[in-house]
């Protein structure tokens, strides 16, 4: 079968690629529209849960354009609001990250087509003056002369719009008026989207948050942060403890709450990214898998997988991992595409001879399920995957693992199941909250269940399933049948 190239890990602003968060994105966009500024909104969620794509989706909702930093295609924003996209971790080594953000704001407006005349120059004195005020704020933030030496090109703007003397406590007033000029008559707010703050070092994250409070708490500006809330709270707590230590102040239990309280004070609203349900994960996975096929030869496998995923909740909630599994599965199907399975009827074909024990249509369904299992193991449970490559009976250990008492030989460090520390025999995984990147939960458990598992569904045996999985991996990795 013919397949396209694999998916990359780039976030997207297109709602068709969201993992059940279309309504969530719309709600945040409506909050921005209906609420008064200044306002700071947080989109919170675990690493890998899709915060960047949601942030980009909100950006597209309010600006009618996807972020150029994601699409590599800069377009003029046509929505009601002007959006600034800022990837915080790229600037974490700056002495003051807020300066980098202010530069991004200035660069956005200074390069805007609506301000450029036919000769390629800024056409408006007011705009030039407003940009000069931004320059002054940047100088102030860097500890230079600030507003005391605003260049001549901004003097008229200063005289018309600002008090003759600008002091430090008038920075917000100056920025408010400058941003109003830059927004123009057809834009209502400046919306700043900050991504990857939780990837920064604690000190850098704290400096940027402090800068937001000092410089951008202005009436025509809304800030939207995409963060792992728990991670940021830990960063802030660590930063506050360090500050107390430097001041030789007493550190007691109250400081464990400072990070939480600081973030609550900064963010007027926090939206928790919803955990996708079984259907949303399946739809996301199947849609990405379909995009990798250039012909119809994969339709049978995809149809089989679609049915399997209706019955078995075995996919992670992490969109990055779902893309990786779809890439891996497509890669397997380039080489082991199901025609091999049909060929087992021929006695001369030794590949997957164990499939002779499975009757159609369950044979093709088994192939699809095993392709999914192998792909998932390769991405998320590599030690188990490697054991299956080495031993034809290794997958039988999986059947035993999901039904064994906790504390058996699978809890030793040498076991391929050692990292899977949840009790899969007595714990109802579906009833517990789901961390999208929690690899200690064996998500494939339902496919190996002794009552409802794949071997029951396909009327095969654990021995048959195990041998097929072994053949599958070795044919792909070594182009041979053991």
């Amino acid at each position: 079968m013919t397949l396209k190239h694999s998916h990359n890990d780039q976030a997207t602003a297109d709602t068709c690629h969201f993992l059940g968060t279309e309504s969530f994105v719309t709600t945040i966009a409506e909050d921005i529209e209906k609420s008064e500024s200044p306002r700071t909104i947080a989109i919170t969620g675990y690493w890998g849960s899709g915060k960047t794509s949601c942030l980009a989706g909100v950006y597209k909702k309010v600006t009618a354009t996807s972020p150029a930093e994601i699409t590599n295609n800069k377009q003029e924003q046509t929505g009601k609001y002007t959006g600034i996209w800022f990837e915080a971790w790229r600037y974490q080594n700056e002495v003051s990250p807020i300066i980098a953000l202010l530069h991004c704001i200035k660069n956005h407006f200074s390069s805007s087509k609506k301000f450029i005349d036919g000769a390629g120059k800024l056409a408006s004195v007011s705009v030039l003056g407003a940009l000069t005020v931004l320059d002054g704020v940047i100088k102030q933030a860097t500890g230079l002369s600030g507003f005391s030496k605003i260049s001549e090109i901004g003097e008229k703007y200063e005289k018309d719009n600002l008090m003759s003397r600008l002091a430090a406590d008038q920075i917000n007033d100056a920025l408010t008026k400058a941003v109003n000029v830059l927004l123009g008559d057809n834009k209502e707010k400046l919306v700043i989207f900050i991504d990857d703050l939780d990837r920064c070092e604690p000190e850098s994250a704290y400096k940027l948050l402090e800068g937001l409070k000092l410089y951008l708490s202005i009436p025509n500006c809304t800030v939207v942060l995409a963060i792992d809330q728990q991670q940021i709270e830990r960063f802030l707590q660590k930063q506050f403890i360090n500050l107390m230590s430097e001041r030789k102040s007493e550190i007691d239990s109250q400081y464990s709450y400072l990070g939480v309280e600081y973030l609550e004070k900064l963010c007027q609203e926090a939206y928790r990214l919803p955990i996708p349900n079984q259907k949303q994960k399946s739809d996301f996975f199947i849609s990405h898998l379909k995009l990798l096929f250039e012909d119809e030869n994969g339709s049978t496998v995809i149809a089989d997988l679609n049915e399997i995923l209706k019955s078995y909740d075995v996919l992670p909630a992490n969109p990055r991992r779902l893309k990786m599994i779809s890439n891996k599965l497509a890669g397997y199907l380039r080489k082991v595409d199901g025609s091999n399975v049909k060929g087992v009827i021929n006695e001369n074909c030794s590949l997957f001879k164990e499939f002779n024990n499975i009757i159609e249509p369950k044979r093709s369904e088994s192939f699809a399920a095993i392709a999914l299992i192998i792909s998932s193991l390769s991405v998320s449970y590599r030690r188990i995957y490697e054991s299956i490559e080495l031993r034809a009976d290794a997958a039988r250990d999986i059947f035993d693992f999901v039904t064994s008492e906790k504390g058996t030989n699978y809890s030793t460090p040498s076991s391929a199941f050692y990292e899977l520390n949840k009790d899969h025999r007595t714990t109802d995984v579906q009833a517990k909250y789901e961390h999208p990147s929690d690899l200690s939960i064996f998500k494939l458990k339902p496919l190996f269940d002794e009552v409802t598992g794949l071997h029951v569904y396909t009327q095969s045996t654990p021995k048959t399933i195990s041998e097929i999985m072994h053949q599958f991996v070795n044919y792909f990795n070594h182009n041979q049948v053991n």
Side-chain angles (χ1 to χ4, degrees):
M1 66 182 65
T2 306
L3 298 117
K4 297 179 181 179
H5 296 296
S6 299
H7 299 292
N8 60 29
D9 190 36
Q10 186 69 49
T12 177
D14 295 326
T15 56
C16 62
H17 295 296
F18 288 176
L19 193 51
T21 55
E22 294 91 337
S23 176
F24 178 79
V25 166
T26 300
T27 297
I28 299 173
E30 290 175 348
D31 186 337
I32 294 171
E33 180 178 356
K34 294 177 181 178
S35 61
E36 294 184 0
S37 295
R39 186 169 174 80
T40 300
I41 298 170
I43 298 175
T44 71
Y46 299 109
W47 279 352
S49 57
K51 297 188 298 298
T52 298
S53 288
C54 281
L55 192 69
V58 177
Y59 182 105
K60 188 173 183 178
K61 284 278 187 182
V62 302
T63 69
T65 308
S66 297
E69 291 80 359
I70 289 179
T71 62
N72 295 318
N73 181 24
K74 187 174 182 180
Q75 297 177 335
E76 196 73 11
Q77 299 177 10
T78 58
K80 293 172 64 176
Y81 309 110
T82 294
I84 303 294
W85 185 271
F86 185 74
E87 295 176 348
W89 70 273
R90 293 184 181 274
Y91 303 96
Q92 66 171 325
N93 294 323
E94 299 286 341
V95 176
S96 180
I98 191 66
I99 296 173
L101 175 54
L102 292 170
H103 272 297
C104 283
I105 296 171
K106 181 197 167 192
N107 291 340
H108 171 85
F109 286 112
S110 62
S111 62
S112 179
K113 292 180 181 178
K114 67 179 182 179
F115 297 145
I116 306 297
D117 62 18
K121 297 180 180 180
L122 289 171
S124 168
V125 172
S126 294
V127 170
L128 291 172
L131 292 174
T132 302
V133 170
L134 277 175
D135 270 332
V137 175
I138 292 170
K139 289 178 181 179
Q140 180 80 10
T142 57
L144 299 178
S145 56
F147 290 118
S148 61
K149 293 184 180 179
I150 289 180
S151 59
E152 292 183 6
I153 201 166
E155 287 181 359
K156 183 178 185 303
Y157 175 81
E158 178 189 357
K159 182 178 179 181
D160 293 342
N161 296 279
L162 304 173
M163 291 184 242
S164 58
R165 183 179 179 183
L166 294 171
D169 60 357
Q170 294 171 300
I171 289 176
N172 282 3
D173 183 50
L175 270 175
T176 299
K177 293 179 179 179
V179 169
N180 275 337
V181 170
L182 295 171
L183 290 175
D185 297 332
N186 61 336
K187 301 287 186 179
E188 297 181 8
K189 292 177 185 176
L190 176 66
V191 186
I192 299 171
F193 297 84
I194 299 179
D195 191 26
D196 287 332
L197 185 63
D198 44 25
R199 291 176 61 184
C200 296
E201 292 295 324
E203 185 176 359
S204 297
Y206 175 71
K207 284 182 178 179
L208 181 57
L209 292 174
E210 283 291 288
L212 291 175
K213 288 199 304 179
L214 178 60
Y215 294 104
L216 292 172
S217 183
I218 55 179
N220 46 12
C221 180
T222 292
V223 177
V224 187
L225 305 168
I227 56 174
D228 183 329
Q229 185 172 352
Q230 186 177 41
Q231 191 78 5
I232 291 294
E233 288 170 354
R234 286 174 179 170
F235 284 0
L236 292 171
Q237 178 184 340
K238 181 178 179 181
Q239 183 65 18
F240 292 139
I241 290 176
N242 289 340
L243 288 172
M244 293 301 105
S245 298
E246 290 174 4
R247 297 170 185 170
K248 302 186 183 305
S249 300
E250 182 180 352
I251 300 174
D252 58 36
S253 60
Q254 68 172 311
Y255 295 120
S256 64
Y257 301 103
L258 286 180
V260 176
E261 292 174 352
Y262 180 97
L263 202 56
E264 286 178 347
K265 186 174 182 180
L266 178 69
C267 300
Q268 289 75 50
E269 185 63 79
Y271 290 92
R272 188 70 181 171
L273 200 65
I275 299 295
N277 59 34
Q278 180 177 350
K279 184 178 186 305
Q280 290 165 339
K281 291 184 292 186
S282 176
D283 289 348
F284 181 93
F285 176 76
I286 292 296
S287 67
H288 278 77
L289 193 59
K290 285 180 177 179
L291 292 173
L292 297 176
F293 287 84
E294 292 182 337
D295 53 34
E296 298 299 321
N297 292 335
S299 59
T300 299
V301 173
I302 290 177
D304 287 334
L305 284 172
N306 205 22
E307 290 301 312
I308 290 166
L309 292 173
K310 288 179 181 178
S311 303
Y312 298 99
D313 185 5
V314 295
L315 293 175
N318 183 321
R320 180 181 296 118
R321 289 191 176 276
L322 288 174
K323 288 181 183 180
M324 291 171 68
I325 294 170
S326 69
N327 288 340
K328 186 66 68 172
L329 194 149
Y332 286 133
L333 295 181
R334 290 187 179 98
K335 192 168 185 179
V336 189
D337 64 1
S339 62
N340 307 101
V341 177
K342 296 176 184 176
V344 299
I345 297 174
N346 186 332
E347 294 181 359
N348 296 324
C349 179
S350 59
L351 177 62
F352 297 153
K353 60 185 178 181
E354 291 79 9
F355 269 103
N356 285 318
N357 299 323
I358 304 175
I359 61 173
E360 289 288 8
K362 297 184 183 299
R363 180 182 295 174
S364 65
E365 293 168 356
S366 295
F367 172 78
I370 288 171
L372 176 63
I373 291 170
I374 294 297
S375 303
S376 299
L377 291 176
S378 177
V379 169
S380 300
Y381 311 105
R382 294 165 193 165
R383 293 180 69 187
I384 302 175
Y385 174 86
E386 291 168 358
S387 70
I388 288 171
E389 179 180 7
L390 295 173
R391 293 170 33 226
D393 63 344
R396 297 175 68 177
D397 291 343
I398 303 177
F399 288 95
D400 184 51
F401 169 73
V402 300
T403 57
S404 294
E405 292 281 356
K406 188 175 182 180
T408 60
N409 59 327
Y410 296 117
S411 62
T412 61
S414 60
S415 170
F417 301 90
Y418 179 67
E419 293 86 356
L420 306 177
N421 51 45
K422 298 292 191 299
D423 186 346
H424 294 279
R425 189 186 69 85
T426 59
T427 300
D428 182 2
V429 176
Q430 303 303 317
K432 297 178 70 65
Y433 76 91
E434 184 173 14
H435 187 310
S437 297
D438 189 353
L439 296 180
S440 65
I441 296 176
F442 188 59
K443 290 294 298 179
L444 298 172
K445 174 186 180 294
L447 286 169
F448 294 91
D449 186 89
E450 59 185 340
V451 177
T452 60
L454 178 64
H455 63 297
V456 177
Y457 174 70
T458 59
Q459 297 178 1
S460 55
T461 66
K463 179 177 183 293
T464 299
I465 299 296
S466 181
E467 290 175 347
I468 292 173
M469 290 170 64
H470 176 67
Q471 297 283 6
F472 195 114
V473 173
N474 277 277
Y475 185 76
F476 178 80
N477 287 345
H478 308 293
N479 200 31
Q480 65 184 28
V481 179
N482 292 345

